[in-house]
């Protein structure tokens, strides 16, 4: 029985889509909003540019960059852990790729469109059930009027639910491959294997296709993702704690200055060192206390 690796990891994602251009062609044609007469026929890989890492989560992004027979540029990123900086990173990378097409003095007519595709392992839009989000630059009052050049698609894999839309069958099958295959997979749906490109991607996801060194790197990658997520969650909690403290500190100082005009230095030091719970306790005391000593008594 074959064992599989998760295609959302950097090692497997890049082996499938970063080394086999015909698989990436099929993948992009199924997921991007390309017109029937504008489908990708061939691809050439480009070196990925040095885009600033997202703080803390620098190891949770996998990216592939390429250009097609028309000169269009495609940037594909797999984001394991969501952060609000991800969209800015995608915008920065696509904008740089767009601008860098021209040398000084060349005409703007030579510019080719740039497409950014972000595959998200975690949700970012909690107000919508839609998993597919298409962004482009349009006139606010007349959306049919578009500034061509940059387009973005973000796909939330957690929200994806297979449907039976015949016109989007290949898209659905590729998304099933990306969202369903992992270390716990024991059987592959024959419907996935019936598509030659996805069948090949499945074979490239088999553990047997990797060396011991690659498997060690695979495990190290997921360890680093867990570490990054833990650090990010810790900093988020610290930020929440700091935010609560600052809010209650401002409230307490406003109350003290309003009631007593001047706050002695020793009390200011206590306030600066207090946690949110103690600050809240002092605020509540301050509402009824007639002296500042009553507020800070042990």
């Amino acid at each position: 029985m074959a064992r599989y690796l998760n295609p959302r990891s950097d090692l497997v994602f890049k082996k499938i889509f970063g080394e086999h251009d015909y698989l990436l062609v099929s993948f992009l044609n199924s997921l991007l909003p390309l017109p029937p007469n504008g489908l990708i026929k061939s691809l050439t890989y480009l070196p990925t540019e040095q885009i600033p890492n997202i703080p803390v989560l620098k190891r949770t992004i996998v990216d592939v960059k390429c250009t097609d027979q028309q000169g269009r540029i495609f940037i594909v990123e797999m984001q394991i852990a969501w952060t609000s900086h991800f969209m800015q990173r995608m915008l920065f990378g696509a904008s740089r790729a767009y601008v860098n097409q021209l040398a000084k003095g060349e005409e703007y007519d030579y510019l080719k469109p740039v497409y950014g595709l972000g595959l998200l392992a975690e949700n970012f839009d909690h107000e919508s059930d839609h998993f597919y989000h298409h962004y482009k630059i349009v006139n606010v009052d007349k959306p049919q009027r578009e500034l061509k050049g940059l387009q973005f698609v973000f796909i939330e894999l957690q929200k994806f639910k297979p449907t039976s839309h015949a016109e989007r069958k290949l898209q659905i099958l590729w998304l099933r491959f990306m969202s369903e295959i992992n270390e716990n997979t024991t059987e592959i749906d024959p419907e996935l294997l019936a598509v030659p490109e996805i069948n090949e991607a499945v074979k490239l996801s088999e553990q047997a296709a990797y060396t011991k060194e690659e498997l060690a790197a695979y495990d190290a990658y997921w360890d680093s993702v867990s570490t990054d997520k833990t650090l990010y969650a810790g900093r988020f909690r610290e930020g929440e704690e700091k935010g609560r403290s600052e809010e209650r500190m401002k409230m307490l100082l406003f109350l003290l200055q309003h009631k007593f005009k001047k706050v002695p230095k020793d009390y200011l030091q206590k306030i600066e060192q207090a946690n949110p719970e103690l600050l809240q306790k002092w605020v509540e005391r301050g509402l009824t206390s007639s002296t500042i000593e009553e507020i800070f008594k042990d």
Side-chain angles (χ1 to χ4, degrees):
M1 181 184 297
R3 298 182 63 185
Y4 299 92
L5 303 182
N6 193 324
R8 297 186 294 279
S9 70
D10 63 343
L11 179 70
V12 185
F13 187 90
K14 286 195 172 181
K15 181 179 280 288
I16 295 171
F17 299 114
E19 298 178 11
H20 300 81
D21 57 352
Y22 63 98
L23 299 184
L24 187 57
V25 167
S26 173
F27 188 66
L28 292 178
N29 279 336
S30 73
L31 295 181
L32 292 176
L34 302 174
N37 62 350
L39 295 179
I40 303 167
K41 296 179 181 178
S42 61
L43 287 176
T44 301
Y45 290 110
L46 299 172
T48 54
E49 297 182 52
Q50 291 300 312
I51 300 172
N53 284 318
I54 293 175
V56 182
L57 298 177
K58 59 182 181 293
R59 288 169 290 194
T60 64
I61 298 174
V62 185
D63 63 319
V64 174
K65 184 180 176 185
C66 57
T67 185
D68 75 343
Q69 74 282 352
Q70 297 183 31
R72 296 174 297 183
I73 297 173
F74 303 90
I75 300 172
V76 187
E77 296 207 355
M78 177 73 235
Q79 171 74 17
I80 299 299
W82 170 253
T83 166
S84 58
H85 299 291
F86 180 67
M87 284 188 169
Q88 281 71 35
R89 174 189 159 91
M90 285 287 291
L91 179 60
F92 181 89
S95 300
R96 173 178 281 185
Y98 188 73
V99 170
N100 286 351
Q101 294 179 68
L102 289 187
K104 288 183 179 180
E106 288 188 322
E107 297 179 12
Y108 293 112
D109 291 343
Y110 292 111
L111 288 169
K112 300 295 183 179
V114 175
Y115 292 82
L117 173 61
L119 302 164
L120 311 170
E122 294 182 352
N123 296 338
F124 75 92
D125 187 348
H126 300 288
E127 298 178 0
S128 170
D129 293 330
H130 297 295
F131 71 87
Y132 190 97
H133 307 275
H134 180 199
Y135 293 83
K136 54 185 179 180
I137 305 172
V138 299
N139 184 302
V140 174
D141 296 321
K142 298 177 180 179
Q144 69 275 15
R145 294 187 177 178
E146 176 188 350
L147 281 178
K148 299 185 183 298
L150 293 175
Q151 291 193 50
F152 300 90
V153 170
F154 297 97
I155 296 176
E156 297 173 285
L157 293 175
Q158 283 187 351
K159 288 183 183 176
F160 168 70
K161 299 290 188 297
T163 60
S164 57
H165 293 290
E167 71 277 10
R168 292 193 287 114
K169 184 175 181 180
L170 185 59
Q171 179 188 107
I172 291 165
L173 292 175
W174 267 120
L175 290 177
R176 283 189 58 197
F177 167 76
M178 289 301 300
S179 58
E180 293 178 9
I181 307 298
N182 56 43
E183 297 86 350
N184 299 319
T185 301
T186 55
E187 294 184 12
I188 306 295
D189 188 333
E191 191 175 19
L192 294 179
L193 300 177
V195 180
E197 292 85 358
I198 298 179
N199 191 345
E200 181 66 18
V202 168
K203 291 178 181 177
L204 291 169
S205 300
E206 291 184 9
Q207 183 173 316
Y210 296 83
T211 64
K212 288 183 178 179
E213 292 76 16
E214 287 175 324
L215 292 174
Y218 175 85
D219 290 336
Y221 169 78
W222 286 113
D223 287 343
S224 70
V225 168
S226 297
T227 300
D228 281 354
K229 284 185 174 182
T230 301
L231 287 172
Y232 185 75
R235 291 190 183 182
F236 181 78
R237 286 192 294 270
E238 288 175 9
E240 282 191 319
E241 183 87 0
K242 184 179 179 181
R244 287 200 306 272
S245 293
E246 290 177 351
E247 181 182 344
R248 293 173 189 179
M249 189 182 300
K250 288 178 182 178
M251 190 183 303
L252 179 59
L253 288 172
F254 175 82
L255 182 64
L256 294 175
Q257 289 165 357
H258 179 73
K259 292 187 74 170
F260 307 110
K261 306 302 179 186
K262 188 176 181 180
V263 183
K265 285 186 178 180
D266 54 340
Y267 289 129
L268 288 174
Q269 290 177 349
K270 280 190 174 185
I271 292 171
E272 290 175 357
Q273 297 169 1
N275 58 41
E277 289 72 25
L278 187 53
L279 289 169
Q280 181 64 31
K281 183 179 179 180
W282 289 339
V283 168
E284 292 171 359
R285 283 183 184 174
L287 295 173
T288 57
S289 298
S290 57
T291 66
I292 197 168
E293 289 77 18
E294 289 180 42
I295 298 173
F296 294 97
K297 67 180 180 182
D298 294 332

